[in-house]
Amino acid sequence: EIPRIAGIIIYIFLSTLAFFSIKSNYLNVILISALPIVIVGGKEDIFHNSSPKLRLMMMILSAGAFIYLLPTKLPEIDLPILNQILDFGFMKEIFFIFSIMVIVNGNNLIDGVNGNLAFSNIFQLISIMLLALIVDDDKVVQLSCLLLIPLIVFALFNFPFGKIFCGDTGAYFYGFAVSASIIYLFGKNDQLLSWNAILILLYPSIELLFSFIRKKFFENKSPFNADAKHIHSLIFRYLIKKNSRFNNNSLVTILLMPFILSPLLSYQFYEDIFAIITIIFIVFFIYVMIYFILLNKLSEK
């Protein structure tokens, strides 16, 4: 069995680095607040017995801890009506806790084929770093680099032959860390359009929200039950249908590159709200179109 411990190794490496070498308050807050999801993820990776309710509780705990320890203000949303709603009581905190949970879960869902999660998170972090360079935010640039280094090393072993998997720990932690980096960057730099954050986080968000709607409203199943109907699963099944001897799922990751690379467009069009919103709708439309085409092809005899 291929080990699912890369996420645990990465968390230990970053914690050791933060304790003995690198001084980064941003990284420290992420490592401390991520501990509940790292524990539940590690429990699943090693013993395979973590219940959905326990995972959900630990995600709420981690997201809440991060919002509480946050050394910056929470970002503003470029939708006036939503901003007014979020200014009421603790609505803003609840909104960002929910948002973090969406990305954490979505990141876990895209971890189904070699390289997909690693490359998705790599290009998300590169996009965050490029935007941070534009606004001269050295702390977020440093954080992005620290998170990128072990992820790139992992990718070398995971893609294309899958010598090691990141496991739930790695998927949860990097979904959490990318979300936290976005909140740091956009909370400190109001001049950046929040639509850029949506574009950077779009792929895992679509995966989770589309999966939730499909299961809850069309299949009458629990959204917490895993299945093999995510877009990478459908592509893999379609490739097998075309060639029964196909046995390396790394090709699926290459075919998913339009979604994986889309965060980089946030750097190219970071000041153009019309372009960013248009790209978001195009990516969403392409995802839905490919999804239903694959379902239709796989249902054919």
Side-chain angles (χ1 to χ4, degrees):
E1 184 179 354
I2 296 172
R4 299 169 52 184
I5 58 172
I8 298 172
I9 294 172
I10 289 174
Y11 183 82
I12 293 172
F13 167 76
L14 288 172
S15 298
T16 304
L17 199 66
F19 188 81
F20 290 105
S21 179
I22 302 295
K23 291 183 179 180
S24 171
N25 186 38
Y26 286 4
L27 179 61
N28 291 340
V29 170
I30 290 175
L31 292 171
I32 292 170
S33 53
L35 192 56
I37 58 172
V38 169
I39 291 172
V40 76
K43 182 175 182 288
E44 175 62 24
D45 292 334
I46 297 171
F47 301 108
H48 312 293
N49 61 356
S50 297
S51 68
K53 288 184 179 180
L54 177 61
R55 297 188 198 197
L56 188 64
M57 183 180 69
M58 290 301 209
M59 288 176 196
I60 294 172
L61 187 59
S62 279
F66 173 75
I67 297 301
Y68 177 76
L69 296 172
L70 185 66
T72 65
K73 67 175 184 176
L74 289 168
E76 298 295 319
I77 309 298
D78 291 315
L79 283 173
I81 297 176
L82 181 58
N83 251 337
Q84 292 176 2
I85 295 172
L86 295 182
D87 282 339
F88 180 76
F90 293 99
M91 290 299 296
K92 200 168 200 177
E93 287 78 4
I94 294 170
F95 173 81
F96 279 100
I97 288 172
F98 173 76
S99 300
I100 291 171
M101 292 171 62
V102 167
I103 304 305
V104 169
N105 280 288
N107 214 45
N108 193 40
L109 292 184
I110 66 174
D111 182 29
V113 290
N114 298 339
N116 192 27
L117 177 136
F119 288 130
S120 294
N121 291 164
I122 284 171
F123 286 109
Q124 286 171 337
L125 288 168
I126 289 174
S127 301
I128 293 168
M129 182 175 64
L130 291 172
L131 290 177
L133 286 169
I134 290 174
V135 295
D136 296 321
D137 195 327
D138 295 337
K139 290 185 177 180
V140 174
V141 172
Q142 180 197 42
L143 175 65
S144 301
C145 291
L146 290 172
L147 293 170
L148 272 169
I149 292 169
L151 189 58
I152 291 171
V153 174
F154 161 69
L156 296 175
F157 289 93
N158 179 250
F159 183 87
F161 299 115
K163 298 298 182 182
I164 190 171
F165 295 152
C166 72
D168 285 7
T169 307
Y172 289 162
F173 175 72
Y174 267 100
F176 185 83
V178 169
S179 303
S181 302
I182 287 282
I183 291 173
Y184 282 144
L185 178 63
F186 287 81
K188 285 181 61 183
N189 303 281
D190 291 336
Q191 66 270 40
L192 291 173
L193 296 169
S194 61
W195 290 95
N196 288 297
I198 295 172
L199 178 56
I200 293 172
L201 301 172
L202 187 59
Y203 176 34
S205 301
I206 293 176
E207 191 69 71
L208 179 74
L209 296 176
F210 196 77
S211 176
F212 181 90
I213 293 170
R214 170 176 57 81
K215 293 176 184 177
K216 186 71 176 177
F217 299 104
F218 293 95
E219 298 178 355
N220 198 27
K221 297 193 304 186
S222 170
F224 299 106
N225 291 338
D227 63 16
K229 288 187 178 180
H230 305 295
I231 196 165
H232 58 265
S233 305
L234 297 181
I235 294 173
F236 183 63
R237 286 162 54 192
Y238 179 73
L239 292 173
I240 291 176
K241 184 178 180 180
K242 287 295 182 181
N243 184 353
S244 59
R245 291 181 293 180
F246 177 77
N247 61 4
N248 190 329
N249 63 33
S250 299
L251 178 59
V252 176
T253 297
I254 296 173
L255 296 174
L256 288 168
M257 277 298 166
F259 302 115
I260 293 171
L261 294 173
S262 61
L264 295 177
L265 295 173
S266 64
Y267 171 72
Q268 186 71 28
F269 300 100
Y270 75 97
E271 290 182 308
D272 190 337
I273 188 169
F274 177 77
I276 293 293
I277 294 175
T278 301
I279 293 167
I280 289 170
F281 277 103
I282 289 172
V283 172
F284 182 80
F285 175 77
I286 292 173
Y287 179 98
V288 174
M289 182 181 66
I290 292 174
Y291 189 93
F292 284 108
I293 288 173
L294 287 169
L295 273 183
N296 183 56
K297 292 289 185 182
L298 290 168
S299 64
E300 294 175 356
K301 292 183 180 180

